[in-house]
């Protein structure tokens, strides 16, 4: 049976033609012809029909200011629509797989493989019980599109789905396409670039949108699919809770002064309101289904007892429910459940205290239906609802608090200074001793109501911790129970957060600790010092007691972005891999369960790439079953905007994690041959040295400023957080996102491959080329870590276009260009050569669909790059030219499908 009426080529062709029609109608025929001239010139060069880009340069140079804006808008709109076409193709692949065509990385194939290889039901249940996957949404500013634009694109996507999946008459098809045309016309007239930076509340609502409108419904479908898959091979294996969703949006204070306690409170309140409203709606729907006559069906002892308890709690409401639903016990129960939900945000007593209490009532209904032999009703209507409540609770997504360790140190020093304690004058050992005693003593050390004359930073930190206690009391501990410390370097940085939590009652040892304190290790020194930091904490009386109350689970966050920016791609990946192994081994020796929190960005250089491959490439020692990772910016939209793609993402995560957990059980300590480790220990330091030499070379920062659009990126209003930590222009101070974003715009994806070649060459020089290449090929074939690292570098190399990057290099002073650009291109070319030689491939891209995508996009991105470089080269730009320049940034980001 044919599931679809269209294919990606049809979508691309018809949407591209529609952009041309709208351009001609909304601008002019001449504008359309100008865009066509640029497009054809770019295609001619890419196809080899032209020996150079002179015609394209001439066309770009000849544009008027007004026509420049039209060109930028035309290509940006084209890419936005082509992205929808490619998303639709991903949906086709998923649906075809449901209809019998196997997909790569499918849970179905893994379960079949387990059964074939003799994995019994008990082992599978144990594997599933170990797994808990926690995608954590952040507000990091890597989404270039306005929410208004995204909304219009979503509407167009819905129309494309209708055209593709429904059997329409010709008249109906014309009507849908007319609506698509209208939406594209409206999109053309919509401002693409934000005029103001989004506020933290906007970022929180953006994350909440995906939770509310996609994931909430997808979760029930995903579990149903998982259970059906398991039942094909195994009897009586229950699928436990596998996913939780968390968020930083509205609670991440690091570097963002605009995330105030009021913002966090509003975020928590709104998320609870969304969850409650969703459950009220589901209760109403379920009430329409569960209309069974109590005289015909046994209502079960548990249901009868529950209704009796409700009668004592809400006698008036119970009486009303009995009158409205006589002899319909399920409907009576659901009416009482809606009443308790109504009271969650009400001053009246009797509300559900948390999601578990609500789930208990659903379980009573489920138990009664099962006893009545109504399994089909249970599976179709109640079980998906149960999964939603089990996953989202009354919180929708638990929040993590985060701030920079310097702020906690300053707050502690000032607050205890008022009490006569010279915290600043203490060394690390003395600070640990002081904090330990302070946490363990019963009486508070500082007066939070009257902290004295303290700085604004201290006042903000103390206010946040006071609010922390209030949030847990109001919304429940599970709503906000994690505190992440950026740039952790010492044990005292962790104990400072534990101490402040103790002062407000979030912690009260030895019996109560309602917070996971999470060190974020992101610098080379912190990663290498992880065992020292954790060892001191695990031996510390106060921290060990807190850890015991948290079930001996220690969460450690690893920072991929700043590690890469500090050390370069190859060295950062090796540092993270080796230190994960060391941390995991140490935690195992200490009988502490490690939960790694991977702080990954969307781009390759910031830890991005396919999540399932990343999970499978983790060292066996680290795979405890629990795993947490960040999802940010445009990656959230790409993964979770479409329900079918979102469900596929969850399946791939589960598939990778359960396979990785099984392998870890079979081989707890990964067998990595010494010669592989030795190879990495030669390559990584050499790559680090090459990378740092570049960054520390006099004039490099100036070259970066002149040869990339960093000055534009910094002012794009992408997010509420400032682009740099202190406002200084230096690579060290610049945040990783604008650093990567700027290079991505120039098509020189330096953060994803620079110094890889230097590292490999250092190894080949050490052991000889023939022997070295043989070992590297073996590593690529047999070691998931090395293969994934090289594949990711290969992708960054494939997306790099030196000829386009040369246009930006020409903007730099001549001496800077000659010093830096040839070196960058040389490293690129050698990296490309080595990756192909080691992988044994004849091209960088290993996925045919990705090659097709880049081939489809590149001729259209080129004109935008040349226009952007042209605009950047102007000493003085008009307001109109500034708007066009910013629009080219959006367009290139859409064309590359990546900002950074």
């Amino acid at each position: 049976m044919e599931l679809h009426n269209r294919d990606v080529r049809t979508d691309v062709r018809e949407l591209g033609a529609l952009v041309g029609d709208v351009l001609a109608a909304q601008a002019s025929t001449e504008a359309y012809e100008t865009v066509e001239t640029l497009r054809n010139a770019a295609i001619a060069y890419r196809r080899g029909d032209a020996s150079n880009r002179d015609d394209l340069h001439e066309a770009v140079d000849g544009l008027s200011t007004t026509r420049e804006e039209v060109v930028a808008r035309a290509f940006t709109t084209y890419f936005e629509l082509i992205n929808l076409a490619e998303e639709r193709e991903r949906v086709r692949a998923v649906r075809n797989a449901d209809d019998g065509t196997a997909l790569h990385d499918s849970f179905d194939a893994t379960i079949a493989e387990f059964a074939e290889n003799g994995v019994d039901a008990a082992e599978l249940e144990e594997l599933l019980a170990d797994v808990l996957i926690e995608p954590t949404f952040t507000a990091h500013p890597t989404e270039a599109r306005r929410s208004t634009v995204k909304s219009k694109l979503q509407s167009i996507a819905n129309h494309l789905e209708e055209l593709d999946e429904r059997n329409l008459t010709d008249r109906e098809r014309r009507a849908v396409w007319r609506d698509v045309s209208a939406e594209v016309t409206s999109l053309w007239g919509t401002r693409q670039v934000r005029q103001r930076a989004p506020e933290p509340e906007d970022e929180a609502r953006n994350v909440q949108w995906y939770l509310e409108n996609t994931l909430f419904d997808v979760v029930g479908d995903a579990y149903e699919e998982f259970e059906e898959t398991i039942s094909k091979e195994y009897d009586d294996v229950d699928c436990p809770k596998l996913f939780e969703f968390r968020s930083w949006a509205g609670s991440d204070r690091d570097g963002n002064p605009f995330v105030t306690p009021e913002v966090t409170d509003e975020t928590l309140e709104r998320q609870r309101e969304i969850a409650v409203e969703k459950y009220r709606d589901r209760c109403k729907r379920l009430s329409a289904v569960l209309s069974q006559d109590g005289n015909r069906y046994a209502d079960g002892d548990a249901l009868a007892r529950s209704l009796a308890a409700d009668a004592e709690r809400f006698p008036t409401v119970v009486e009303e429910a009995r009158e409205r639903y006589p002899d319909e016990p399920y409907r009576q129960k659901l009416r009482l459940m809606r009443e308790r939900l109504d009271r969650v945000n009400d001053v009246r007593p009797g509300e559900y205290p948390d999601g578990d209490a609500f789930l208990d009532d659903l379980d009573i209904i489920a138990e009664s239906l099962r006893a009545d032999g109504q399994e089909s009703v249970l599976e179709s209507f109640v079980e998906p609802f149960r999964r939603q409540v089990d996953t989202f609770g009354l919180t929708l997504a638990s929040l993590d608090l985060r701030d920079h360790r310097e702020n906690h140190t300053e707050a502690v020093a000032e607050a205890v200074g008022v009490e006569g304690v010279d915290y600043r004058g203490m060394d690390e050992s003395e600070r640990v001793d002081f904090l330990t005693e302070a946490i363990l003593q019963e009486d508070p050390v500082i007066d939070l109501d009257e902290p004295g004359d303290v700085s604004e930073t201290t006042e903000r930190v103390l206010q946040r911790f006071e609010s922390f206690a209030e949030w847990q009391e109001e919304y429940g501990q599970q709503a906000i129970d994690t505190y992440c410390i950026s740039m952790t370097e010492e044990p005292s940085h962790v104990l400072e957060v534990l101490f402040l939590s103790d002062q407000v009652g979030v912690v009260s040892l030895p019996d109560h600790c309602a917070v996971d304190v999470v060190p974020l290790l992101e610098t080379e020194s912190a990663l290498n010092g992880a065992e020292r930091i954790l060892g001191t904490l695990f031996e510390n009386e106060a921290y060990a007691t807190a850890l015991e109350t948290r079930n001996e689970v220690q969460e450690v966050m690893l920072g991929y972005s700043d590690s890469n920016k500090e050390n370069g791609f190859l060295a950062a990946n090796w540092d993270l891999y080796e230190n994960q192994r060391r941390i995991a081994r140490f935690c195992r020796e200490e009988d502490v369960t490690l939960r790694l929190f991977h702080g990954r960005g969307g781009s390759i250089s910031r830890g991005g790439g396919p999540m399932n491959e990343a999970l499978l490439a983790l060292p066996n020692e680290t795979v405890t079953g629990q795993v947490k990772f960040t999802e940010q910016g445009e990656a959230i939209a790409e993964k979770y905007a479409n329900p079918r793609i979102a469900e596929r993402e969850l399946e791939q995560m589960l598939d990778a994690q359960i396979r990785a957990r099984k392998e870890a059980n079979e081989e707890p300590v990964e067998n990595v041959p010494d010669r592989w480790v030795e190879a990495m220990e030669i390559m990584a330091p050499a790559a680090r040295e090459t990378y740092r030499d570049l960054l520390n070379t006099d004039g490099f920062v100036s070259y970066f400023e002149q040869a990339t659009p960093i000055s534009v990126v910094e002012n794009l209003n992408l997010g509420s957080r400032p682009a740099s930590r202190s406002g200084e222009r230096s690579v060290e101070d610049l945040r990783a996102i604008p650093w990567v974003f700027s290079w991505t715009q120039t098509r020189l994806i330096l953060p994803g491959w620079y110094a890889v070649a230097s590292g490999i060459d250092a190894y080949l020089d050490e052991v000889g080329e023939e022997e070295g290449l043989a070992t590297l090929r073996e590593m690529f074939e047999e070691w998931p870590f090395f293969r994934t690292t090289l594949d990711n570098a290969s992708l960054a190399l494939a997306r790099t276009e030196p000829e386009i990057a040369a246009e930006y290099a020409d903007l730099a002073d001549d001496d800077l260009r000659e010093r830096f650009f040839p070196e960058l291109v040389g490293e690129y070319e050698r990296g490309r050569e080595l990756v192909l030689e080691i992988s044994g491939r004849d091209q960088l891209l290993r996925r045919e669909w990705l090659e097709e995508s880049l081939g489809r996009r590149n001729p259209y991105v080129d004109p935008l790059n040349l226009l952007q470089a042209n605009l950047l080269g102007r000493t003085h730009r008009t307001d109109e030219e500034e708007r066009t320049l910013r629009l080219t940034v959006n367009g290139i980001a859409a064309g590359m499908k990546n900002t950074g």
Side-chain angles (χ1 to χ4, degrees):
M1 181 181 71
E2 287 293 329
L3 295 177
H4 303 102
N5 305 315
R6 302 165 67 86
D7 58 29
V8 67
R9 291 178 178 82
T10 301
D11 286 338
V12 168
R13 183 180 66 252
E14 293 187 1
L15 289 170
L18 180 55
V19 172
D21 293 342
V22 171
L23 167 62
Q26 297 299 307
S28 65
T29 303
E30 292 77 12
Y32 168 77
E33 291 171 350
T34 297
V35 170
E36 283 295 286
T37 298
L38 291 167
R39 185 177 73 88
N40 290 326
I43 291 173
Y45 178 72
R46 288 279 180 174
R47 286 179 177 170
D49 297 336
S51 59
N52 54 50
R53 285 192 171 95
D54 289 351
D55 289 345
L56 184 56
H57 270 287
E58 185 178 341
V60 170
D61 293 342
L63 296 174
S64 67
T65 300
T66 301
R67 192 58 54 82
E68 286 174 339
E69 193 275 339
V70 171
V71 165
R73 182 174 293 276
F75 283 109
T76 299
T77 303
Y78 172 82
F79 286 127
E80 297 284 20
L81 297 180
I82 296 318
N83 289 343
L84 296 183
E86 293 189 350
E87 178 184 270
R88 178 105 294 272
E89 185 68 1
R90 290 175 67 193
V91 171
R92 291 186 190 104
V94 173
R95 296 188 78 230
N96 286 332
D98 287 343
D99 204 41
T101 306
L103 266 179
H104 178 58
D105 300 325
S106 75
F107 187 58
D108 201 325
T110 294
I111 293 298
E113 180 185 319
F114 282 3
E116 185 179 339
N117 292 338
V119 175
D120 61 24
E123 183 180 352
L124 178 60
E125 281 191 322
E126 184 179 344
L127 285 170
L128 290 167
D130 287 343
V131 169
L132 182 64
I133 302 168
E134 299 183 82
T136 302
F137 300 105
T138 80
H140 286 7
T142 56
E143 174 62 85
R145 293 174 299 186
R146 293 179 61 212
S147 57
T148 300
V149 171
K150 288 194 293 184
S151 176
K152 292 182 180 299
L153 292 171
Q154 184 62 51
S155 176
I156 296 169
N158 293 339
H159 291 315
L160 290 177
E161 177 181 339
E162 190 174 7
L163 289 168
D164 191 33
E165 296 184 14
R166 283 189 57 198
N167 290 324
L168 302 173
T169 66
D170 288 343
R171 179 180 178 183
E172 289 169 337
R173 194 176 299 108
R174 286 193 300 270
V176 174
W177 191 253
R178 183 189 64 229
D179 291 343
V180 172
S181 179
E183 287 282 13
V184 174
T185 303
S186 175
L187 178 64
W188 177 267
T190 299
R191 189 177 66 252
Q192 288 270 351
V193 179
R194 295 187 182 100
Q195 290 187 311
R196 68 168 182 88
E199 296 176 351
E201 295 91 336
D202 300 323
E203 294 167 335
R205 289 189 191 98
N206 181 56
V207 166
Q208 290 159 3
W209 187 93
Y210 293 100
L211 293 164
E212 177 183 3
N213 294 288
T214 305
L215 285 166
F216 190 88
D217 291 322
V218 161
V219 158
D221 295 336
Y223 276 106
E224 183 178 0
E225 191 72 29
F226 299 154
E227 289 178 326
E228 183 181 330
T229 296
I230 293 168
S231 68
K232 291 177 185 177
E233 305 288 348
Y234 296 90
D235 296 325
D236 301 322
V237 172
D238 294 326
C239 187
K241 180 177 180 177
L242 301 167
F243 293 92
E244 283 185 359
F245 296 96
R246 303 187 69 92
S247 176
W248 283 10
S251 59
D252 176 11
R253 177 63 181 78
D254 181 25
N256 193 340
F258 306 113
V259 179
T260 62
E262 290 75 22
V263 169
T264 305
D265 189 70
E266 180 183 319
T267 301
L268 287 164
E269 183 175 6
R270 188 167 190 275
Q271 289 186 177
R272 185 170 68 179
E273 288 173 353
I274 290 171
V276 166
E277 187 57 37
K278 283 285 187 182
Y279 298 150
R280 288 190 82 263
D281 180 61
R282 293 303 187 278
C283 283
K284 283 185 178 180
R285 294 189 199 177
L286 195 55
S287 183
V289 173
L290 300 184
S291 56
Q292 288 86 340
D293 185 345
N295 292 321
R296 296 181 58 200
Y297 293 95
D299 57 14
D301 290 341
L303 182 57
R305 288 195 302 271
S306 177
L307 285 169
D310 288 333
E312 292 184 13
R313 186 185 292 116
F314 307 115
T316 304
V317 181
V318 167
E319 186 60 34
E320 179 263 325
R322 288 171 177 166
E323 290 179 4
R324 184 172 182 181
Y325 305 115
D327 295 321
E328 293 178 330
Y330 293 118
R331 284 183 162 180
Q332 291 175 20
K333 181 60 186 173
L334 287 163
R335 171 64 186 90
L336 271 296
M337 290 168 68
R338 292 205 309 273
E339 179 68 23
R340 295 190 70 184
L341 286 170
D342 286 342
R343 297 189 180 207
V344 168
N345 295 313
D346 201 317
V347 295
R348 294 173 298 168
E351 77 282 1
Y352 284 114
D354 51 39
D356 288 342
F358 182 57
L359 188 60
D360 288 343
D361 273 352
L362 270 181
D363 285 341
I364 289 168
I365 291 176
E367 181 184 332
S368 179
L369 288 170
R370 190 176 289 110
D372 287 345
Q374 300 183 56
E375 290 285 346
S376 61
V377 176
L378 171 62
E379 290 175 5
S380 294
F381 298 102
V382 179
E383 194 57 32
F385 191 3
R386 286 190 68 263
R387 294 297 189 179
Q388 290 168 330
V389 177
D390 196 25
T391 302
F392 298 102
L394 294 182
T395 63
L396 200 63
S398 300
L399 297 188
D400 289 3
L401 289 164
R402 184 174 77 130
D403 202 356
H404 196 286
R405 46 100 172 166
E406 289 179 351
N407 294 332
H408 307 132
T409 301
E410 181 178 345
V412 170
E414 285 199 31
V416 301
V418 173
E419 306 298 331
V421 178
D422 182 16
Y423 187 77
R424 286 194 179 91
M426 297 178 186
D427 62 22
E428 174 62 19
S429 177
E430 291 169 332
R431 289 184 177 187
V432 168
D433 289 343
F434 166 76
L435 292 166
T436 303
E437 290 183 30
I439 293 166
L440 292 174
Q441 77 174 36
E442 279 194 33
D443 296 330
V445 176
I446 58 179
D447 185 349
L448 288 166
D449 294 326
E450 297 290 339
D453 186 17
V454 295
S455 67
E456 183 181 346
T457 295
T458 296
E459 190 175 339
R460 284 201 304 264
V461 170
L462 297 180
Q463 184 185 5
R464 184 187 320 128
F465 275 89
E466 279 196 287
S467 299
F468 190 10
E470 293 167 3
W471 293 326
Q472 290 201 339
E473 184 176 349
E474 170 67 21
Y475 300 101
Q477 292 179 18
Q478 72 280 6
I480 183 163
D481 62 354
T482 299
Y483 201 115
C484 188
I485 307 161
S486 298
M487 291 292 175
T488 299
E489 297 282 345
E490 298 291 345
S492 64
H493 299 149
V494 176
L495 291 174
E496 284 164 357
V497 170
L498 193 66
F499 164 72
L500 291 168
S501 300
D502 169 77
Q503 297 300 293
V504 298
V506 171
V507 172
S508 180
L509 300 179
D511 303 317
H512 178 70
C513 181
V515 59
D516 284 326
V517 186
V518 180
L520 169 48
L521 309 177
E522 43 198 330
T523 65
E524 183 185 4
S525 61
L527 286 166
N528 291 334
E531 290 172 82
R532 174 183 59 83
I533 296 169
L534 294 176
T536 300
L537 292 171
F538 293 169
E539 292 175 2
N540 180 273
E541 183 182 356
Y543 194 81
T545 304
L547 198 60
E548 185 179 355
T549 67
R550 303 297 290 177
N551 299 317
E552 300 290 353
V553 175
Q554 175 63 58
E555 184 173 310
V556 176
M557 185 173 185
L558 303 173
Y560 286 69
S561 299
D562 283 292
S563 179
N564 181 289
K565 189 163 68 70
E566 180 188 18
N567 300 292
F569 178 78
L570 187 63
N573 273 275
W574 178 241
D575 280 355
L576 287 162
Y577 180 87
E578 273 289 84
N579 283 294
Q580 285 178 67
R581 296 184 78 189
R582 282 197 285 266
I583 293 168
R585 285 196 295 264
F586 182 74
C587 287
R588 184 179 292 111
E589 290 168 2
E590 298 292 322
D591 291 325
V592 171
T593 300
L594 173 66
R595 177 171 57 234
L596 279 178
F597 183 5
H598 301 276
R600 297 177 176 274
S603 64
I604 293 298
S605 53
R606 296 183 54 242
M611 182 53 64
N612 56 317
E613 293 182 7
L615 292 173
L616 287 168
L618 293 175
N620 287 6
E621 295 94 319
T622 71
V623 184
T624 61
Q626 299 185 40
V627 67
K628 189 173 171 183
F629 47 84
T630 52
E631 300 275 32
Q632 38 185 283
E634 65 210 351
I636 297 176
E638 186 174 336
K639 292 180 179 182
Y640 302 111
N642 184 287
R644 290 189 182 274
I645 292 173
E647 186 174 346
R648 168 66 174 153
E649 286 289 335
L650 297 183
E651 180 198 7
Q652 285 185 297
M653 291 174 196
L654 173 59
D655 177 66
Q657 189 65 359
I658 195 172
R659 285 164 58 196
R661 182 57 181 159
K662 181 176 182 295
E663 185 176 334
N665 285 345
E666 294 170 351
E667 189 181 346
V669 178
E670 191 170 4
N671 181 24
V672 181
D674 290 343
R675 65 182 180 280
W676 296 359
V677 175
E678 289 165 5
M680 290 305 307
E681 288 181 345
I682 293 171
M683 290 188 287
R688 180 185 292 109
E689 183 178 355
T690 298
Y691 177 81
R692 287 183 175 174
D693 282 349
L694 173 70
L695 267 60
N696 294 328
T697 299
D698 186 43
F700 178 72
V701 172
S702 295
Y703 177 78
F704 173 63
E705 288 180 318
Q706 295 175 28
T708 76
I710 178 60
S711 59
V712 184
V713 169
E714 285 180 318
N715 295 297
L716 263 182
N717 293 328
L718 292 180
S720 64
R721 193 168 70 158
S724 66
R725 290 180 169 86
S726 67
E728 297 293 327
R729 174 59 60 75
S730 68
V731 174
E732 181 180 356
D733 189 69
L734 192 70
R735 293 192 181 279
I737 291 168
W739 164 252
V740 178
F741 196 163
S742 300
W743 287 114
T744 303
Q745 286 281 303
T746 71
R747 314 279 286 282
L748 191 74
I749 321 294
L750 175 154
W753 49 256
Y754 187 79
V756 169
S758 292
I760 295 173
D761 276 333
Y763 173 64
L764 298 179
D765 291 342
E766 180 83 16
V767 302
E769 186 159 331
E770 184 176 349
E771 178 186 341
L773 285 173
T775 299
L776 292 172
R777 288 173 183 140
E778 179 185 302
M779 291 162 63
F780 183 81
E781 287 296 321
E782 300 179 25
W783 194 11
F785 158 74
F786 187 70
R787 181 171 58 253
T788 300
T789 300
L790 217 62
D791 278 343
N792 285 338
S794 180
L795 179 56
L797 287 162
R799 297 165 73 92
T800 292
E801 296 278 345
E803 287 188 30
I804 295 296
E807 304 286 342
Y808 293 85
D810 288 342
L811 300 174
D813 295 340
D814 290 345
D815 64 321
L816 293 176
R817 187 196 192 284
E818 293 309 309
R819 284 169 58 199
F820 293 107
F821 189 64
E823 180 183 342
L824 301 182
V825 172
E827 187 72 20
Y828 159 79
E829 290 176 344
R830 180 59 175 157
R832 191 178 191 282
E833 177 186 344
L834 286 168
V835 166
L836 291 175
E837 198 162 4
I838 293 167
S839 66
R841 300 177 184 140
D842 57 5
Q843 57 186 19
L844 290 169
L845 295 173
R846 60 190 172 94
R847 292 184 176 90
E848 185 179 344
W849 65 266
L850 185 54
E851 185 179 5
E852 289 178 1
S853 177
L854 285 180
R856 183 183 298 128
R857 292 162 181 280
N858 280 338
Y860 294 80
V861 184
D862 295 350
L864 279 178
N865 279 121
L866 297 190
L867 175 56
Q868 185 182 89
N870 190 309
L871 289 163
L872 286 170
R874 298 175 192 176
T875 307
H876 301 290
R877 289 186 291 269
T878 65
D879 290 345
E880 187 175 2
E881 289 171 331
E882 283 289 348
R883 288 194 298 272
T884 300
L885 178 57
R886 291 158 66 115
L887 184 54
T888 64
V889 173
N890 278 43
I892 293 168
M896 297 287 288
K897 292 189 76 173
N898 197 274
T899 57

